Amino acid sequence: MNIDKLNDYRKDIRKITYSKEQGNHAIALVTERVDNELFVRLVADRTVHIVF
């Protein structure tokens, strides 16, 4: 999958679940609707783990 062609693969806003490490090293589990712009930022963030 090429992140530059994400709009070809993912055309709508979707609800995803991911964990994110906080500044105090606590882990937050988040479920939210994510557009392509936010999805790309989450994928690039090393403190985020997307639950598939």
Side-chain angles (χ1 to χ4, degrees):
M1 178 182 255
N2 183 338
I3 200 76
D4 296 326
K5 295 184 178 183
L6 182 63
N7 288 326
D8 293 342
Y9 306 118
R10 194 172 188 268
K11 298 188 184 299
D12 55 353
I13 295 173
R14 297 183 185 180
K15 187 183 289 188
I16 67 167
T17 300
Y18 61 93
S19 64
K20 177 161 178 57
E21 184 177 347
Q22 305 297 305
N24 63 357
H25 301 291
I27 302 295
L29 188 62
V30 180
T31 299
E32 67 179 334
R33 293 180 52 152
V34 175
D35 62 9
N36 285 351
E37 183 180 325
L38 179 54
F39 185 74
V40 168
R41 289 196 320 257
L42 291 172
V43 168
D45 187 336
R46 297 184 63 87
T47 67
V48 169
H49 299 314
I50 298 172
V51 178
F52 288 99

